[in-house]
Structure formats: C-alpha cells, structure tokens
Amino acid sequence: MTLERIEHRACFGGWQDVYRHASETLACGMNFAVYLPPQAQTQRLPVLYWLSGLTCTEQNFITKAGAQRYATEHGLILVAPDTSPRGEDVADADGYDLGKGAGFYVNATQAPWSKHYRMYDYVVSELPALIEANFPATEARAISGHSMGGHGALIVALKNPGRYRSVSAFSPIVAPTRVPWGERAFTAYLGEDREAWKAWDAAALIADATERLPLLVDQGDADEFLAGQLKPELLQAACAAADHPLELRLQPGYDHSYYFIESFIGEHIAYHAHALKA
Amino acid sequence: MTLERIEHRACFGGWQDVYRHASETLACGMNFAVYLPPQAQTQRLPVLYWLSGLTCTEQNFITKAGAQRYATEHGLILVAPDTSPRGEDVADADGYDLGKGAGFYVNATQAPWSKHYRMYDYVVSELPALIEANFPATEARAISGHSMGGHGALIVALKNPGRYRSVSAFSPIVAPTRVPWGERAFTAYLGEDREAWKAWDAAALIADATERLPLLVDQGDADEFLAGQLKPELLQAACAAADHPLELRLQPGYDHSYYFIESFIGEHIAYHAHALKA
C-alpha cells in the first residue's frame, strides 16, 4: 500500500493534507483528506471521520467547514474521504444523486455498480486500517457527516457497535428507503427487494440496535430538502419506539449549505472530543 | 439605486447575504457579499471591508475564510465586493492576472479598460455609501484583503487618511510597480508612464503618508509567490525609511491559500474590532 501526498498546507498550526492511494475495496484510485493538528507531532490522537454529501469530494469539508480550528483546539485528527469510487472505468449515471459523487455508503450488489461501489467497506474497514497504520492515530474513532454523509455516519455507527465512541450528523437522510434520493440509489445499487434495503437505513436499524450510542443530529428548519428527502421525524419516531437516545436539534433559519455546517461544527467536534477522550 | 438580494443564508446566528446592484462607477451589474451578525438586528455596527485576490469573486471569502464566527463574536459587519467589473461588454484579457477577476483596485486611464475598470472609486466611495445607506452600519470602517486585495486594502487606506480606523493584509502585493503581476496590470490599466503608477503602490505611497495608520501584514513563508510577486521586504524598507508603523509577521510553513487566511482571520478581526470600537 503506497500513499501519495498530493496536498500539504499549513492550517491552524497543523497540516491539512490530501493523500491518494489505490483502494483495494473500491478497485480504483481514491483521494482522502487528513488534518493533523499540532499535537500529532508528539502523540497519537483520536480520529473523527467526516462523510460528505451528494456531489462532494474530499475537498468540500476541508475548504468550507472551518473544522481545523476546533481539531487543533481539542487535539483530534480529521479524516474526510471522497463520496464514491472514481475513474474512467467506474460506472456512472445521469444526475447528481446516483453514481460518481453519490456512493451512499453502501456495498452495491447489482451490476454494473457492484464492481466498485463498496463505500461502506471502504469507510468502515480499509480507510481506518490505513489511517491507523500510517498516521499518529489511536483506535478511538468518532464519525459524523452531512446529508448523504449524515446517513452514512448513522448507519456506519449503528451497524458496528463498539467501533465508534460517538456519532453525529448534519441534515442527514435518516430514512433512505422512504425518500426519492434513497429510493433511486438503493434500486440501482441494491436491486428491487426493498426488504434488503433496510440494512442500510438508519431509522430501520434503530429497532435492532444492540448498543445505546446516542445520536446527535442538527437540522436546519429552512433546509430546502427537509420535507422531501430528510424527514428527521422518521428517525425521531424510530428512536422513541426503541427508546434509543437521540438529540435532534432543529436550528431556526438554517438551510442545507456549508454555512450551516460551519456554524455548528465546533459544537460537534467538542462533543466528539469529550467522548473520544473519556 | 435598487439592491437585489440574491443569497440569504443563516450563519453563526446572523445572515450571510449576497446582493446585486447596478454600479454607476463601474457601469455594470455587480455582486457584493454582506455578513450581518446577530447584533445588527438591534444596533448599527462598524464595517470591515474585505478585498479578495486574483481570480476571486465575492464568494471566495464568504465560503472559505470562516470569518463570520469572529464577526459575530465582535459585532462587526463584513462586506466583500467582487474583484473587477463583470459582464459581456466588459473588456477582458487572456490569463488570470488581467481583466475580469483582476481589477487591481485602481482607476484605469487607458482604453479599453477605462470604461469599466474603476474598482478604486467603487471600493472607496460607491460601495461604502451604499452600505451605510442601506444596512445598519456606522461610518466606522476598517479594511483588509488578500494578495491583490491586500494591495488594494493598503493603497485604499494610505490614500484616504482618516477614512479607515485600521488596515491589515494577508500576503499583499506591496510593490506592484516592481513585480510582474503589477507591471502587466498597470501597463494595461494605467499606460506606459511608470511615474503615474506610483500613486497605486503601497511601498511608494508610504513616503508621503500623512497619517501614521499602523499596517498589520501576515505573510506565509512557504508562499509560492513570496519571492516573485509579494516581496514584503520592499514594504518593510519603505516603512523603515519613513518611520511608518508596520507589523509584518512571517508565519512559518503557511502558503498563499485560504488555509492561511482562515488560520489568522480571527486575529485580524479582533485587531480591527479593537480599532473600530476605540
């Protein structure tokens, strides 16, 4: 496994880097971003993984969220992968919500997607193994994300009890089996059997969660996708039925953009830091 | 004068807006960004103007610098104009360093540029008049900027004693009459007479500055344009010769990017807030 460092920028006393590697899981070249705060020069640090939303690459979070300030403040490493496999031989589709930039953090079972679209395995296994082997990282992990990436963070934490110390999400797609974005992607990646989709749906997974890991969710009430695609009330109902701890905060006036994320990422990083250092 | 609000986003408790208007000075439609912190709902606030660098629009600073957090903390309005006149009938040139996106904050005297390229008058007069008439702004002004916009901030402050309470710059072009970016732009906008250029060169203006307004300049020592285009030592020498107060901070490891700006914008905003509220 060789890692090629393709960006290296001083930022808040640490380094905002981007690496490129050949992913075995995804069978293609992938970029991921790593922020190493100054504390990483002398000690191993816990890691917060960030999963981005539709259309994003590893760049959006590192250029727009202003998260590095808080990572330096709390001594966390930030890792942000791309949102899908990439490359000329990777299957794609029309529209921003399927194919490249729209991996939905599942393992596809259907052709032509199943050849490369295994973002779940990449995020849960290959990427952390690579981070923990090549960077000054401990095995203390937290996960967060936005929109499609908020869905990713929630299912990754719910499906892997004990593997993450904390989880949070901004504007997540909480019930992809019941909204247009998810229905289109899951039909393509997972096939027509809707029962099989439930293994990738946060609201559906809550009923069987064996770990009571609290969910912290921030949602803007002026989000243009709130009623049609995000539907936080479905997660709220599932958590209430299963007595699963959820802090859902409706933030007045905020939309779906990075202006929302940058406004609250400091609170999320403080929340994860508290769990990671407990 | 009608102002059309084209973006309106909740951010750090306030609103990150973008407006469009017909500029009389520039004879074209222009966008500018305004951040109104929550305090603006109940009181008039001082204004920090931000001038962006080559290739930028009003978007770069508001999406990448993370400045809104500090504007809310200190109760300042942030205003970020575009970097040149815009539109199909506005003269342009090959390359990123002349024409659209590269107004250099001068008043052009040469055809075809003189018809629209009057960014100096726009930034010094039209824009503040419009801000102070249409937003809850006081007449307390500060100015800052990056690269070409750092040059803009320095010359605007030096040429208008008493008009700005404070000035700062990130990685400014301090001596455009003596570096390739400036020489190309000034030849086009101002003609062949190099003596006339000096009225738009911070290092040259220092000798005649009647106001001892301190200059705060941050410069990354890994900046790829440091030796060829920025040359902070020329400003340092001019300030030393004229006994003009300058705080030039060489920041180790930092480059020319927004990762540098976001790392120190908090200190700059605190500095301006102190001057604006004195």
Side-chain angles (χ1 to χ4, degrees):
Chain A
M1 168 98 55
T2 54
L3 287 176
E4 182 194 358
R5 192 171 73 188
I6 59 176
E7 292 185 22
H8 183 54
R9 259 88 176 242
C11 186
F12 282 107
W15 292 96
Q16 180 59 65
D17 294 340
V18 176
Y19 284 84
R20 186 157 183 81
H21 74 118
S23 165
E24 232 176 274
T25 308
L26 303 174
C28 67
M30 289 292 285
N31 293 352
F32 64 86
V34 181
Y35 178 67
L36 296 169
Q39 300 91 324
Q41 290 172 19
T42 54
Q43 55 184 297
R44 291 194 170 267
L45 300 173
V47 181
L48 172 60
Y49 291 85
W50 174 268
L51 304 183
S52 291
L54 289 166
T55 77
C56 289
T57 68
E58 84 288 348
Q59 290 290 321
N60 302 63
F61 181 69
I62 64 174
T63 55
K64 294 185 172 181
Q68 296 93 346
R69 172 188 165 142
Y70 309 103
T72 288
E73 196 175 317
H74 296 284
L76 301 187
I77 293 171
L78 303 176
V79 174
D82 201 348
T83 58
S84 76
R86 300 283 179 179
E88 284 188 14
D89 64 329
V90 170
D92 203 1
D94 286 339
Y96 67 90
D97 56 353
L98 184 64
K100 292 180 192 174
F104 270 86
Y105 306 103
V106 302
N107 292 332
T109 57
Q110 307 297 302
W113 310 103
S114 51
K115 188 175 171 199
H116 297 284
Y117 284 76
R118 302 183 62 81
M119 285 299 293
Y120 176 80
D121 280 353
Y122 179 71
V123 163
V124 172
S125 303
E126 184 177 0
L127 184 61
L130 187 157
I131 295 295
E132 289 157 23
N134 293 279
F135 297 89
T138 68
E139 291 181 6
R141 306 174 199 100
I143 192 160
S144 185
H146 175 235
S147 195
M148 176 183 76
H151 142 75
L154 293 173
I155 64 164
V156 159
L158 288 166
K159 289 165 77 76
N160 293 279
R163 192 161 170 80
Y164 297 89
R165 300 273 184 89
S166 52
V167 59
S168 76
F170 290 79
S171 332
I173 306 169
V174 301
T177 62
R178 292 183 271 173
V179 300
W181 277 341
E183 289 175 322
R184 180 175 189 220
F186 284 13
T187 302
Y189 297 147
L190 304 172
E192 300 286 345
D193 176 11
R194 286 178 171 249
E195 271 309 302
W197 296 3
K198 292 184 179 169
W200 309 98
D201 178 299
L205 288 165
I206 287 289
D208 298 320
T210 56
E211 185 193 36
R212 286 277 168 276
L213 189 68
L215 314 181
L216 169 62
V217 174
D218 267 322
Q219 172 64 58
D221 78 357
D223 188 319
E224 55 274 36
F225 301 110
L226 179 56
Q229 304 279 7
L230 305 177
K231 295 183 182 289
E233 67 277 9
L234 298 178
L235 183 65
Q236 202 166 30
C239 287
D243 196 25
H244 194 106
L246 165 69
E247 186 176 6
L248 170 62
R249 312 192 302 186
L250 269 188
Q251 303 288 4
Y254 287 87
D255 68 9
H256 201 66
S257 71
Y258 262 90
Y259 294 112
F260 173 47
I261 298 170
E262 74 171 302
S263 300
F264 296 98
I265 191 72
E267 292 180 26
H268 283 237
I269 290 179
Y271 173 82
H272 290 294
H274 182 78
L276 286 163
K277 294 174 174 180
Chain B
M1 167 99 56
T2 55
L3 288 175
E4 182 194 0
R5 193 171 73 188
I6 58 177
E7 293 186 22
H8 184 55
R9 259 89 176 244
C11 187
F12 282 108
W15 293 96
Q16 180 58 65
D17 295 340
V18 177
Y19 284 85
R20 185 159 183 79
H21 75 119
S23 165
E24 233 175 274
T25 309
L26 303 174
C28 66
M30 289 292 286
N31 293 351
F32 64 87
V34 181
Y35 179 67
L36 296 169
Q39 299 92 325
Q41 289 172 19
T42 54
Q43 55 184 298
R44 291 194 170 267
L45 300 173
V47 182
L48 172 62
Y49 290 86
W50 173 267
L51 304 183
S52 291
L54 289 166
T55 77
C56 290
T57 68
E58 83 288 348
Q59 290 290 322
N60 302 64
F61 181 69
I62 64 175
T63 56
K64 294 186 171 179
Q68 296 93 346
R69 172 189 165 142
Y70 309 103
T72 288
E73 196 175 315
H74 295 285
L76 301 188
I77 293 172
L78 303 176
V79 174
D82 200 347
T83 58
S84 75
R86 300 282 180 181
E88 286 189 11
D89 65 329
V90 169
D92 203 1
D94 286 340
Y96 67 92
D97 57 353
L98 183 65
K100 293 180 192 174
F104 270 87
Y105 306 102
V106 301
N107 292 332
T109 58
Q110 307 296 303
W113 309 104
S114 51
K115 188 176 172 197
H116 296 285
Y117 284 76
R118 303 185 61 82
M119 286 298 292
Y120 176 79
D121 279 353
Y122 179 72
V123 163
V124 172
S125 303
E126 184 177 0
L127 184 61
L130 188 155
I131 294 296
E132 289 158 22
N134 292 279
F135 297 88
T138 68
E139 292 181 6
R141 306 174 198 99
I143 192 160
S144 186
H146 175 235
S147 194
M148 176 183 75
H151 142 75
L154 293 173
I155 64 163
V156 159
L158 289 168
K159 289 164 77 77
N160 294 278
R163 193 162 169 80
Y164 297 89
R165 300 273 183 90
S166 52
V167 59
S168 75
F170 290 79
S171 333
I173 306 169
V174 301
T177 60
R178 292 184 270 173
V179 301
W181 277 341
E183 289 175 322
R184 182 176 188 218
F186 284 12
T187 302
Y189 297 148
L190 304 172
E192 299 287 346
D193 177 10
R194 286 179 170 247
E195 270 309 303
W197 295 5
K198 292 183 179 169
W200 309 98
D201 178 299
L205 287 165
I206 287 289
D208 298 320
T210 57
E211 185 192 37
R212 286 277 168 277
L213 189 68
L215 313 180
L216 170 62
V217 174
D218 267 324
Q219 172 63 58
D221 77 356
D223 188 319
E224 55 273 38
F225 301 110
L226 179 57
Q229 305 280 7
L230 305 178
K231 296 184 180 290
E233 66 278 9
L234 297 179
L235 184 65
Q236 203 166 29
C239 287
D243 196 24
H244 194 107
L246 164 70
E247 187 175 6
L248 170 62
R249 311 191 304 186
L250 270 188
Q251 302 287 4
Y254 287 87
D255 68 9
H256 201 67
S257 71
Y258 262 91
Y259 294 111
F260 173 47
I261 298 171
E262 74 172 303
S263 299
F264 295 97
I265 191 72
E267 291 181 27
H268 283 237
I269 289 179
Y271 172 82
H272 290 293
H274 182 77
L276 286 164
K277 293 174 175 179

